[in-house]
Amino acid sequence: MTSKKQTTEEKPTQTKGKKGGARYPNGGGAQPGAGRPEFEPTDSERKQVEALSGYGLPIEQIAVLVRDGIHVDTLRAHFATELVSGKAKANGQVGKTLFQKVMAGDTTAAIWWSKTQMRWAETQKHELTGADGVPLEFTKIERVIVKNG
C-alpha cells in the first residue's frame, strides 16, 4: 500500500482591526477608482431616447441603440423622463394631425375620431314582430332531442 501525501497551500490571512494585513492593507472591499464609471447620459442620448420612444420602439430595442448597448435597468433609471415624454409628444402630434384632417372634412378620419374619441358605435337593432307589428306570441315551446344512429 502506498500512502498519499497531502500538501496544503498556505493562504494569506487577514487580520482584523484598523489595518487589513499584508494582503489587504485597506481592509478589503471596493478599492477607490475600481469598477465601471457611473453612467452619465449626454444631451444627444437624451434626444435619441426621446425620439425612439416616440417612434414606438420597445425599451429593449432602445437600450441596444444607446452607445454600444446598455442594460434596460440603466435605460429606465437614467432616461425615465425621455421615455414618457417621447411617447406623449408623438401621440400629441398624431392627435393634432388627425384632428386637422377631421376639421378639413376627411370623412374616414371623422368616422375614426367619432368611434374612438366620442365613443360612438355603429349599432343595429333586429326586432322580430308578428303581422302588423304585433309582438310575437309563443303558445308552446318544446325541446326535441335527436339521437344519432
Side-chain angles (χ1 to χ4, degrees), residues 90-101:
N91 288 343
Q93 285 298 318
V94 170
K96 177 182 175 183
T97 303
L98 176 62
F99 181 78
Q100 290 171 339
K101 285 181 167 257

Side-chain angles (χ1 to χ4, degrees), residues 97-114:
T97 303
L98 176 62
F99 181 78
Q100 290 171 339
K101 285 181 167 257
V102 170
M103 299 311 290
D106 184 322
T107 304
T108 304
I111 291 169
W112 190 87
W113 180 276
S114 65

